[in-house]
Amino acid sequence: MIDLEKLRTLYRFGKEITLNDAQELLKSAKSVSLGKRSTLFEQGSKDSAIYYLRKGLVRMYHIKDNGEEITFSLIPEHNVVANFDFIATENPSKFYYETLEDSSFFSIDYQILDSIVSKNQKLESNRKFFLRKIIFEVKERLENFVLMNPEERYIKFMKDFPDLSNRVPDKYIANILGVTPVSLSRIRKRIVSKK
């Protein structure tokens, strides 16, 4: 039986994919459901699975030698979750990836995806677009830390991810913004007092 949700997702990523490649992708992609606080990748992982997050929320974090957890990113639905450290450089992951809510994914191994994409020019252009998007997001985050003060970073974060503050603890948002939870509370109070 054809999985219509897989077809819709596939269409979003490659509108001009060949029928053979579509069948191979559909056959290779698995539906995965994970409960809250499930681990997708561990720090040190060499897993090359690629996940498309259909529903839910994933936290990307690092545990320092002293045991402190630092949240690096929050990944909401309709985004790709992957162990980019290993895929790009074959180095083990520096991060844990954990679901913060009950989550559902489509999953495919990177080697299978790479084999299909390399034979299809349209999908190859999608891969290049996706890589440029990742580079842009990394560059934008770096610029935010260099060019914006913490209050400006918070305002931008809330504009980009308006519903995340209701879905995660403040300490995760504070980590992403590079401030303490106490500083985040002060920033919010300043913004409210300005209004």
Side-chain angles (χ1 to χ4, degrees):
M1 184 172 176
I2 294 174
D3 185 331
L4 292 177
E5 188 63 28
K6 277 186 189 177
L7 276 175
R8 282 188 202 102
T9 302
L10 191 57
Y11 182 75
R12 230 182 265 136
F13 282 102
K15 293 179 181 165
E16 298 182 41
I17 187 170
T18 67
L19 183 59
N20 285 342
D21 287 344
Q23 288 173 328
E24 193 171 347
L25 279 171
L26 286 170
K27 187 174 58 179
S28 302
K30 299 178 187 97
S31 293
V32 177
S33 293
L34 295 173
K36 184 178 181 178
R37 299 280 180 206
S38 296
T39 301
L40 280 172
F41 303 111
E42 293 189 353
Q43 201 166 304
S45 170
K46 294 184 176 181
D47 189 339
S48 63
I50 305 264
Y51 293 90
Y52 174 77
L53 180 56
R54 296 164 51 198
K55 178 181 176 289
L57 182 63
V58 172
R59 175 171 80 118
M60 179 181 172
Y61 68 98
H62 177 80
I63 299 179
K64 295 167 72 172
D65 290 339
N66 65 3
E68 181 185 5
E69 288 184 9
I70 303 294
T71 299
F72 183 77
S73 182
L74 297 168
I75 307 164
E77 43 273 303
H78 309 300
N79 282 288
V80 172
V81 181
N83 182 356
F84 292 114
D85 288 326
F86 184 69
I87 289 170
T89 64
E90 296 190 356
N91 289 322
S93 176
K94 295 177 184 71
F95 301 97
Y96 285 91
Y97 294 76
E98 169 191 62
T99 59
L100 295 180
E101 302 170 348
D102 290 344
S103 300
S104 60
F105 305 86
F106 289 128
S107 170
I108 189 168
D109 187 85
Y110 177 74
Q111 276 71 34
I112 293 169
L113 182 64
D114 188 50
S115 170
I116 295 167
V117 167
S118 64
K119 294 182 283 185
N120 186 306
Q121 195 61 37
K122 295 293 181 186
L123 286 178
E124 186 62 43
S125 68
N126 281 2
R127 180 187 359 215
K128 288 176 184 171
F129 171 79
F130 180 71
L131 290 174
R132 283 194 299 269
K133 182 176 181 267
I134 292 171
I135 291 168
F136 174 78
E137 287 170 359
V138 170
K139 176 184 161 293
E140 184 179 43
R141 182 156 186 196
L142 183 60
E143 284 175 354
N144 291 348
F145 271 91
V146 173
L147 303 176
M148 294 179 171
N149 64 42
E151 187 172 318
E152 292 168 329
R153 288 198 300 271
Y154 173 76
I155 291 167
K156 182 171 185 344
F157 179 85
M158 293 308 295
K159 181 180 168 222
D160 292 345
F161 306 102
D163 73 322
L164 285 188
S165 66
N166 300 325
R167 296 168 70 183
V168 299
D170 286 347
K171 65 182 178 179
Y172 296 166
I173 295 171
N175 279 166
I176 290 168
L177 298 175
V179 299
T180 65
V182 172
S183 295
L184 178 60
S185 179
R186 287 187 191 126
I187 289 167
R188 286 177 170 153
K189 284 178 185 167
R190 273 199 309 271
I191 290 169
V192 168
S193 69
K194 288 178 184 177
K195 293 179 179 178

